[in-house]
Amino acid sequence: MGLSEERIRAVHVGVAPVVGGRVVLVDYDPDWPALYEREAARIRGVLGAGVVGLAHVGSTSVPGLAAKPIVDVVLEVADSADEASYVPALEAAGYVLRIREPEWFEHRMFKGPDVNVNLHVFTAGEPEVARMVAFRDRLRVSAADRVLYERTKRELAARDWTYVQQYADAKAGVVADIMSRA
């Protein structure tokens, strides 16, 4: 079940979440892991001990998989609802808060300062982080699931979308199928 248009607009901070067409997928770029490492170093540098966990997730973390050219990073902090403990430091480093979802695991999402990054922030121990990592790990070890997922993504990317969240929601069935084997 996806988010309603009203809900999509409500969680975005300061920007309209419109795609206005097709989602762009590109072939795997071997530079993506290095871009993640650069962002991880920047995040650790500004948050220090405030970083409870940090991981490269999403399609750019899976060698050989086509992806939207956006490096997804998941950051675990002590309490993602306590924005005063991490938001000012991230903003000072150039990150921009774009999504605030208190009802969904207290998720926050920032855009990166100079690399196309989605920095997802959760409270340490939230099950969504383990799910994201398990999905990444399954795709890294299963060629069949990688092919299935990429085929689905390419079919969906060929459609017109108003919001990128609609594209993400449309992948839910294949993600659940793959997760059943993770």
Side-chain angles (χ1 to χ4, degrees), residues 18-152:
V18 176
V19 171
R22 296 188 174 167
V23 171
V24 175
L25 296 178
V26 299
D27 289 336
Y28 179 78
D29 184 338
D31 290 336
W32 287 333
L35 292 174
Y36 162 75
E37 290 299 337
R38 192 176 97 186
E39 292 307 305
R42 183 188 335 239
I43 293 162
R44 286 186 182 102
V46 298
L47 295 181
V51 175
V52 177
L54 198 59
H56 185 189
V57 295
S59 295
T60 63
S61 69
V62 180
L65 184 62
K68 296 185 309 292
I70 302 168
V71 175
D72 283 295
V73 178
V74 64
L75 166 66
E76 291 178 281
V77 297
D79 179 3
S80 58
D82 180 13
E83 291 186 8
S85 70
Y86 66 93
V87 171
L90 289 174
E91 288 179 337
Y95 291 92
V96 178
L97 180 63
R98 292 291 191 210
I99 295 176
R100 179 182 288 120
E101 295 180 285
E103 72 294 332
W104 189 67
F105 306 112
E106 289 291 348
H107 173 246
R108 307 301 191 265
M109 196 276 289
F110 295 77
K111 293 302 290 180
D114 54 15
V115 170
N116 199 352
V117 170
N118 285 341
L119 173 59
H120 301 275
V121 183
F122 293 96
T123 298
E126 284 294 350
E128 183 60 14
V129 175
R131 189 196 71 77
M132 294 168 96
V133 171
F135 186 68
R136 174 202 69 195
D137 291 349
R138 176 64 188 176
L139 291 176
R140 284 179 173 175
V141 300
S142 173
D145 282 337
R146 254 190 331 275
V147 168
L148 171 64
Y149 189 54
E150 182 168 331
R151 184 177 65 238
T152 301

